[in-house]
Amino acid sequence: MAAAPPAFTGNLKKALAGLRRINLDGLRWRVFDAKGQVLGRLASQIAVVLQGKDKPTYAPHVENGDMCVVLNAKDISVTGRKMTDKIYYWHTGYIGHLKERRLKDQMERDPTEVIRKAVLRMLPRNRLRDDRDRKLRIFSGGEHPFHDRPLEPFVMPPRQVREMRPRARRALIRAQKKEQANRAAAESAKDEEDGKTAKAEIKA
Amino acid sequence: MRSFASNFRGAHLRLNRMITQQVRRAFVSSHRDRGRQKRDFRRLWITRINAATRIYKVFDSYSKLIHNLYKNELILNRKMLAQVAVLNPNNLYTISNKIKTIN
């Protein structure tokens, strides 16, 4: 919702950085909501929009992609065990210095970097890549300082979720049944307690 | 050959040895790229048609569009008619409607 624009916390400077370098505001401002989206699937859609490949006037030598604003970057989700097991590696150039960081830690440090890396690595490595990076604005919360621009929300295409493998599905069903049993037990315990207190009241 | 090289850079247009080399390279690139040009443009048209079908029409993708065109033997639509997509989007609609009615 259009919560008061002045309530945008976080570096305004970083959000507006380099906006002057992007010429041609005949571009649309597409807003992606990352809440609950899967990381890679969202990133590929962003990459397509950022390159301008959804416009019939696409030309590979001209940078004509739309501005992409991504909100709620901290609510991005990943399937499987990637939250703990996906590791970002990078080499600093000094021999033996291969550094690594897990997705979990990266999310704690700077959740916007996760999406940024994902999108940048999906763009073609050419001279337009930096300009495309400049068009991509990611915010970890839902606030952004661009309320005075004509924003267009981006509707993600429907996702075909693969049906669960039998073992995983059985585990899920077991977990659900356990939860139901717990809840039932909790309720019955509560009923017993209510019954006891009622009896106590009657006795007293 | 010097006149062919008259818009080259620096020593490449002044010194005979460099002129011969560079002119040879220029001809080779030109020959190779005439073949490439056909590939590149077809690629570009396909990307554009893909984008246009996803925006305007009910066919969700280039592949489905082409499949339907071939099924209805509308071969006259070469990829070149991505120009249609850029300039006259309405004609795209008429084409797709025609395909659907024939179907």
Side-chain angles (χ1 to χ4, degrees):
Chain A
M1 302 313 258
F8 175 68
T9 50
N11 12 9
L12 199 70
K13 216 172 173 190
K14 192 172 171 195
L16 299 177
L19 259 189
R20 246 188 308 155
R21 271 217 220 175
I22 310 171
N23 57 356
L24 278 196
D25 274 41
L27 307 174
R28 296 177 285 181
W29 288 66
R30 316 283 277 273
V31 176
F32 292 81
D33 191 7
K35 195 168 206 154
Q37 299 284 346
V38 180
L39 176 60
R41 291 177 194 265
L42 176 70
S44 63
Q45 298 295 323
I46 298 178
V48 165
V49 167
L50 213 51
Q51 289 178 61
K53 274 192 145 178
D54 53 347
K55 299 184 176 175
T57 48
Y58 168 74
H61 62 289
V62 156
E63 174 43 32
N64 216 357
D66 296 327
M67 292 286 305
C68 292
V69 177
V70 184
L71 304 179
N72 290 322
K74 58 176 164 28
D75 298 323
I76 199 99
S77 66
V78 286
T79 53
R81 295 199 201 136
K82 287 183 222 165
M83 209 52 176
T84 45
D85 289 354
K86 179 170 166 79
I87 307 182
Y88 289 102
Y89 292 102
W90 71 98
H91 197 279
T92 59
Y94 288 97
I95 191 165
H97 286 227
L98 179 68
K99 301 217 169 178
E100 61 177 41
R101 191 182 286 160
R102 296 184 183 259
L103 225 199
K104 224 172 24 156
D105 306 329
Q106 184 67 53
M107 292 290 268
E108 282 159 27
R109 280 177 189 243
D110 188 8
T112 67
E113 270 309 302
V114 171
I115 302 189
R116 187 173 296 272
K117 267 201 171 75
V119 174
L120 276 194
R121 289 177 180 183
M122 290 189 182
L123 294 177
R125 325 284 196 269
N126 56 21
R127 296 184 195 178
L128 299 175
R129 194 170 172 229
D130 289 335
D131 299 331
R132 288 171 176 154
D133 182 24
R134 217 168 283 131
K135 288 190 178 172
L136 175 65
R137 308 279 154 151
I138 309 182
F139 300 101
S140 50
E143 294 286 334
H144 62 100
F146 296 122
H147 287 281
D148 52 341
R149 315 271 177 169
L151 298 174
E152 276 183 35
F154 179 84
V155 181
M156 286 280 287
R159 182 183 160 207
Q160 307 165 311
V161 186
R162 175 185 75 188
E163 79 165 50
M164 301 192 78
R165 300 274 190 256
R167 180 186 286 185
R169 174 183 285 170
R170 270 182 265 137
L172 188 72
I173 293 180
R174 249 184 292 137
Q176 282 175 352
K177 286 206 184 131
K178 204 179 192 188
E179 215 194 291
Q180 282 178 1
N182 279 349
R183 236 183 293 144
E187 283 177 10
S188 63
K190 229 186 2 165
D191 289 342
E192 279 184 16
E193 279 185 23
D194 290 345
K196 277 191 202 151
T197 50
K199 280 185 204 159
E201 286 175 7
I202 295 175
K203 277 191 187 167
Chain B
M1 198 167 50
R2 253 203 125 110
S3 63
F4 183 82
S6 60
N7 56 348
F8 286 5
R9 194 172 175 176
H12 294 207
L13 65 91
R14 296 193 177 91
L15 309 181
N16 274 322
R17 290 189 195 184
M18 309 208 70
I19 290 180
T20 49
Q21 287 176 6
Q22 295 305 102
V23 167
R24 215 176 286 147
R25 300 194 94 223
F27 281 144
V28 165
S29 316
S30 165
H31 178 76
R32 175 194 0 118
D33 291 330
R34 254 175 274 130
R36 294 226 148 200
Q37 195 179 37
K38 304 172 183 43
R39 298 182 220 169
D40 290 339
F41 272 109
R42 187 166 157 132
R43 239 182 173 205
L44 179 63
W45 297 329
I46 291 180
T47 319
R48 285 191 174 181
I49 298 177
N50 208 350
T53 55
R54 279 167 211 266
I55 300 182
Y56 295 121
K57 307 169 54 175
V58 194
F59 291 132
D60 293 313
S61 64
Y62 168 84
S63 47
K64 297 216 167 90
L65 170 70
I66 297 293
H67 175 62
N68 283 312
L69 282 176
Y70 280 2
K71 238 190 337 182
N72 302 323
E73 299 170 15
L74 277 171
I75 311 180
L76 60 113
N77 272 324
R78 273 166 59 215
K79 308 335 183 200
M80 188 87 193
L81 294 181
Q83 287 294 85
V84 169
V86 173
L87 301 175
N88 294 2
N90 303 318
N91 289 353
L92 267 190
Y93 266 129
T94 57
I95 298 176
S96 81
N97 288 336
K98 204 157 185 213
I99 299 175
K100 278 182 223 145
T101 52
I102 295 180
N103 251 348

